[in-house]
Amino acid sequence: MNQWQSLFKTDLPLIVEVPKNDIEVVNAAIDGGADAVMLSVLSQKSQYMTVNFDEEIENINQIASSVNVKKGVLLGDLRLIEKQEWEQLKTCKLDFLAGYPNTVPPFILRDEAFPLILYTPTEMPLEFYRVLGELSGVEALVFLPRSQSVTDIKYNILDIVGFMLVYSAVSKPILFKVANSLEPDDLQELASKGASGFVLDPSLTGSLDAEYYKLFTQKYKEPLLQKKKYRFWG
């Protein structure tokens, strides 16, 4: 059993992105049923950042030390994290790390300090996903269709087909990014097709208000509680 498979004790874990690193929003997501929260560092969304990297790390560590669910950090696309910054981040009480293939320096792959989730771009050759999933230290992938990164495209059949193709090419757990226009029943359908969990991003279509995060998380958590074991956890 690898690190990622042993990380969650629940079926279909629900991970909620909290780009503002706000403890009130984090607690609201947990109240809504989040199995894990994903904080952010070095995001180009400057309004979500503190004054400097040291303050970001201090804030992340305070939040990570105060909540009782799994905690991770998403490496943003402002720039690549530097080695000395990585050493600072490693001092935080985190359970996993996430990033995009172009935001994770190779030294992080070699370090393997945390289980690593990689967000995957769409419309790449299947061999790309297969090789990505075989990289040392990569424990899971997040499938990110275009409909879940912009507001003017709705969830559609192409998203399902794309997910199934990636699932067929990769032996690692595949999570599905949920940010826009999915109904709770859609998550159950994706789970039946192999999804190993979901990453929620309430900020795409709503505010950063704590109550909104709680309601958004509840919307998707409740139907998943009815789902039984699936392929990678249980």
Side-chain angles (χ1 to χ4, degrees):
M1 179 178 291
N2 61 28
Q3 291 185 75
W4 185 252
Q5 288 172 294
S6 62
L7 186 56
F8 293 100
K9 296 181 180 179
T10 181
D11 293 343
L12 295 171
L14 207 60
I15 303 172
V16 180
E17 293 182 1
V18 185
K20 195 179 178 182
N21 296 346
D22 184 318
I23 186 60
E24 183 180 2
V25 175
V26 167
N27 286 330
I30 295 170
D31 289 343
D35 300 299
V37 291
M38 191 183 301
L39 307 174
S40 178
V41 69
L42 295 176
S43 170
Q44 69 174 347
K45 299 177 182 179
S46 58
Q47 67 268 31
Y48 297 160
M49 295 177 61
T50 53
V51 175
N52 57 50
F53 187 84
D54 290 341
E55 290 188 15
E56 284 193 88
I57 292 298
E58 182 179 357
N59 190 34
I60 288 170
N61 215 11
Q62 288 178 351
I63 294 173
S65 300
S66 65
V67 299
N68 59 2
V69 299
K70 301 298 184 181
K71 290 83 62 176
V73 161
L74 174 63
L75 297 177
D77 52 2
L78 178 67
R79 58 173 173 79
L80 288 179
I81 190 171
E82 298 178 359
K83 283 189 176 181
Q84 64 269 27
E85 295 170 333
W86 170 238
E87 293 301 322
Q88 287 179 266
L89 186 59
K90 284 166 59 178
T91 65
C92 296
K93 297 178 180 179
L94 301 174
D95 300 291
F96 61 91
L97 182 74
Y100 299 86
N102 63 336
T103 67
V104 178
F107 63 77
I108 289 181
L109 287 178
R110 294 191 293 270
D111 193 315
E112 298 188 10
F114 306 110
L116 176 63
I117 313 173
L118 284 181
Y119 285 63
T120 62
T122 57
E123 301 177 359
M124 300 296 288
L126 290 183
E127 187 68 6
F128 170 86
Y129 301 106
R130 185 189 66 78
V131 173
L132 200 65
E134 291 180 355
L135 289 175
S136 176
V138 174
E139 302 292 344
L141 301 181
V142 178
F143 183 73
L144 176 55
R146 184 159 173 73
S147 69
Q148 303 308 300
S149 58
V150 297
T151 57
D152 58 343
I153 301 176
K154 302 299 183 182
Y155 177 68
N156 57 77
I157 290 176
L158 287 177
D159 298 336
I160 300 173
V161 173
F163 171 79
M164 293 176 68
L165 287 171
V166 174
Y167 176 80
S168 70
V170 179
S171 60
K172 298 287 178 67
I174 310 292
L175 294 86
F176 196 97
K177 174 76 174 280
V178 177
N180 179 33
S181 71
L182 274 80
E183 295 298 326
D185 287 348
D186 293 323
L187 272 64
Q188 289 213 15
E189 180 182 12
L190 287 164
S192 72
K193 298 185 183 305
S196 295
F198 299 93
V199 177
L200 302 188
D201 179 15
S203 70
L204 180 67
T205 55
S207 70
L208 294 173
D209 177 73
E211 184 63 20
Y212 179 78
Y213 263 69
K214 179 179 178 179
L215 294 174
F216 192 96
T217 306
Q218 282 179 335
K219 174 183 177 180
Y220 295 110
K221 181 64 176 184
E222 291 172 0
L224 291 182
L225 293 174
Q226 305 169 17
K227 185 70 181 175
K228 296 184 180 180
K229 287 184 180 180
Y230 64 107
R231 181 174 176 183
F232 288 99
W233 287 288

